[in-house]
Amino acid sequence: MPGTVRPGGRTARVREAVLHAAGDALAERGFAHLDLAEVARRAGVGKTTVYRRWGSVTGLLADLLEDMAEQSEPRIEVGSLLRELEANATLVRRTLTDPRQGALFKAVIAAATCDALAAEALHQFYAARVAEWAPCVVQAAERGEVPADTDPEQVVRAVSAPLYYQLLTTGTPLDQAAAERAARAAYDAARAGAFRTGR
Amino acid sequence: MPGTVRPGGRTARVREAVLHAAGDALAERGFAHLDLAEVARRAGVGKTTVYRRWGSVTGLLADLLEDMAEQSEPRIEVGSLLRELEANATLVRRTLTDPRQGALFKAVIAAATCDALAAEALHQFYAARVAEWAPCVVQAAERGEVPADTDPEQVVRAVSAPLYYQLLTTGTPLDQAAAERAARAAYDAARAGAFRTGR
C-alpha cells in the first residue's frame, strides 16, 4: 500500500515503531527496566534488527532523545519577549503534564543521574531545545527589551528551571499560573540585567 | 566509654550509623540497588534491627531525608535579601557539588521519579528547606525590599531551581557564578513583582 509508506520507507518506519515502543516502555516502567528484546516485541520488529541498529539500551535512549528534539515544536515568534517566554513555558508545562510525556521525561532524567551516556544524550536534547528558543532573546536585545549583553541561553533555561524543579521536588500540580510565573520571573530578571554576561 | 556516647544513646547511634551507610550506598550505587541487608552490614548493625525499625528501602529513604532536613544548615540573616538569597544559593551549590552529597541528591531525585513514597519524602524535605528560608523574604517585604504580597516560598524555590536544573540537564559545572546568577535573578524578579500572590 504505497499510501501508508512515509518518506524514508521501511527503515524510517522501523525507527518510528521502535522509538515509540521505547518511549512507552520508559514512561510505564522507567529506564532500569528498559529491555531491547521487549521493545522489539512491542514494536513488532525483529530483535536482531533492534540489537544491530541501536546496540544497547543507552543507544536507544540517545536516539529517542534525538528524535524528540527533532519532533519538538518550533519556537513561536510574536515580537514580544514576555509573550514568547510564556509560549515556551506553556509548551514545557504541556509536555511535563502530559501523562506519557511527563513520565517519559522523569524516566530520562532519572536515567541521566546514573548513566553517563544517557546524561550526555539528555544534555544534547536540552542544548537543542535551548538553541531553538535562544533567538527570541537575541531579537529582544536588538529591540532594546533586555540589555544588549544578555545571555540568551540563560534566559531560556530560567523559564524551564522552575517548572522542572516543581515537577521533581513538589507534589504540586504544574498549572498555567506556574508557567506564567516562570516566564514572568525570567523576563523581569532579564530586563533587570540578571543574565548579563559581563556581570 | 561514656565519652563516645552521643545524646540519645544506643538507639541514636544505630540510627546515625544506618543512615550514614544508607547515604553512602545511595551515593555509590543509586536507589535501584539499595538493599537493607547491605546497609545493615555496612553499618555494623544486625539485619533484624534494620528490618524491624525501617521496614523497607523506602522507609529508610524517608528517614534519611528527615535526618538530612534536620541536619541542614540554618538560614543566614544579614538584613539584605540579595545577600541572604546568595547565601542560600551558595549552600545549595556547595551541597550539589560535594561528591557524596551531589550523588546522594541525584539518587534521591531519581528514586522520587519512580516511587511514590520516595517522592513524598523528597517533597517533605524540600518543603522543610523552603520553610527554613522563607522568613528572609517575609522580612524583606516588611523592609519594603519586595512587594508586600510576594510569595516567600516561590522566591526561595526560584533560587534553587536553576541550580538543580543545571545539575540535571547540562554537563556544565555548577560554579559560584551560577549560584550568584540564580540569587540575582530570583531577587530581581521578586522586586519586579513576579512572585506577587495577587498577580
Side-chain angles (χ1 to χ4, degrees):
Chain A
M1 292 182 290
T4 63
V5 178
R6 293 202 332 166
R10 187 174 178 280
T11 304
R13 289 201 311 281
V14 164
R15 181 177 182 231
E16 190 186 0
V18 168
L19 295 185
H20 192 83
D24 285 348
L26 269 170
E28 285 165 28
R29 309 189 55 213
F31 183 68
H33 299 101
L34 194 62
D35 178 73
L36 289 194
E38 194 207 333
V39 168
R41 190 188 51 72
R42 278 173 179 254
V45 166
K47 217 162 58 172
T48 321
T49 304
V50 174
Y51 278 98
R52 201 171 45 220
R53 175 139 176 205
W54 286 278
S56 68
V57 160
T58 308
L60 184 56
L61 182 68
D63 196 34
L64 176 65
L65 282 162
E66 198 178 314
D67 185 60
M68 283 162 68
E70 285 161 12
Q71 305 287 329
S72 290
E73 293 188 37
R75 173 169 71 96
I76 290 152
E77 282 190 64
V78 292
S80 145
L81 181 59
L82 178 58
R83 296 288 164 258
E84 287 164 354
L85 297 181
E86 280 173 353
N88 189 10
T90 299
L91 193 59
V92 171
R93 184 209 157 219
R94 204 164 64 216
T95 302
L96 297 181
T97 54
D98 175 83
R100 180 179 183 273
Q101 293 270 93
L104 182 52
F105 272 92
K106 281 187 175 181
V108 175
I109 290 168
T113 64
C114 57
D115 182 306
L117 290 171
E120 176 56 31
L122 188 72
H123 300 165
Q124 284 180 16
F125 170 81
Y126 285 106
R129 291 307 297 152
V130 169
E132 170 70 23
W133 283 85
C136 72
V137 184
V138 175
Q139 292 168 357
E142 285 164 4
R143 290 191 303 264
E145 272 195 271
V146 294
D149 61 345
T150 299
D151 182 334
E153 300 199 349
Q154 291 297 344
V155 179
V156 175
R157 290 190 192 278
V159 173
S160 292
L163 302 173
Y164 278 84
Y165 186 67
Q166 182 176 334
L167 177 78
L168 295 168
T169 71
T170 77
T172 317
L174 269 178
D175 57 15
Q176 188 55 27
E180 284 168 21
R181 187 169 55 233
R184 166 63 72 169
Y187 175 78
D188 285 341
R191 281 181 67 85
F195 304 114
R196 290 178 62 185
T197 53
R199 198 139 176 173
Chain B
M1 295 182 289
T4 64
V5 178
R6 292 202 334 165
R10 185 175 179 280
T11 304
R13 287 200 314 280
V14 164
R15 181 177 182 233
E16 189 187 0
V18 168
L19 295 185
H20 191 82
D24 285 348
L26 269 169
E28 285 165 28
R29 308 189 55 213
F31 182 68
H33 300 100
L34 193 62
D35 177 74
L36 290 195
E38 194 208 332
V39 168
R41 189 187 53 73
R42 277 174 179 254
V45 167
K47 218 162 60 172
T48 319
T49 304
V50 174
Y51 278 98
R52 201 171 46 221
R53 176 140 175 204
W54 286 277
S56 68
V57 160
T58 308
L60 183 55
L61 182 68
D63 196 33
L64 177 65
L65 282 162
E66 198 178 314
D67 185 60
M68 283 161 68
E70 286 161 12
Q71 304 289 329
S72 290
E73 294 187 36
R75 173 168 71 97
I76 291 153
E77 281 190 66
V78 291
S80 146
L81 181 58
L82 179 58
R83 297 286 163 260
E84 286 164 355
L85 296 182
E86 281 174 352
N88 188 10
T90 299
L91 193 59
V92 171
R93 183 207 158 221
R94 204 165 63 216
T95 302
L96 297 182
T97 54
D98 175 83
R100 180 178 184 273
Q101 293 270 93
L104 181 52
F105 271 91
K106 280 187 175 182
V108 175
I109 289 168
T113 65
C114 57
D115 183 307
L117 290 171
E120 177 56 31
L122 188 71
H123 300 165
Q124 285 180 16
F125 170 82
Y126 285 106
R129 291 306 297 153
V130 169
E132 169 70 22
W133 283 85
C136 73
V137 184
V138 175
Q139 292 169 357
E142 285 164 4
R143 291 191 301 264
E145 272 195 272
V146 294
D149 61 346
T150 299
D151 183 334
E153 300 200 348
Q154 291 297 344
V155 179
V156 175
R157 290 190 192 278
V159 173
S160 292
L163 301 174
Y164 278 85
Y165 185 68
Q166 182 177 334
L167 177 78
L168 295 169
T169 72
T170 77
T172 316
L174 270 178
D175 56 16
Q176 188 54 27
E180 285 169 21
R181 187 170 53 234
R184 166 64 71 168
Y187 175 78
D188 285 341
R191 282 181 66 86
F195 304 114
R196 290 177 63 184
T197 53
R199 197 138 179 177

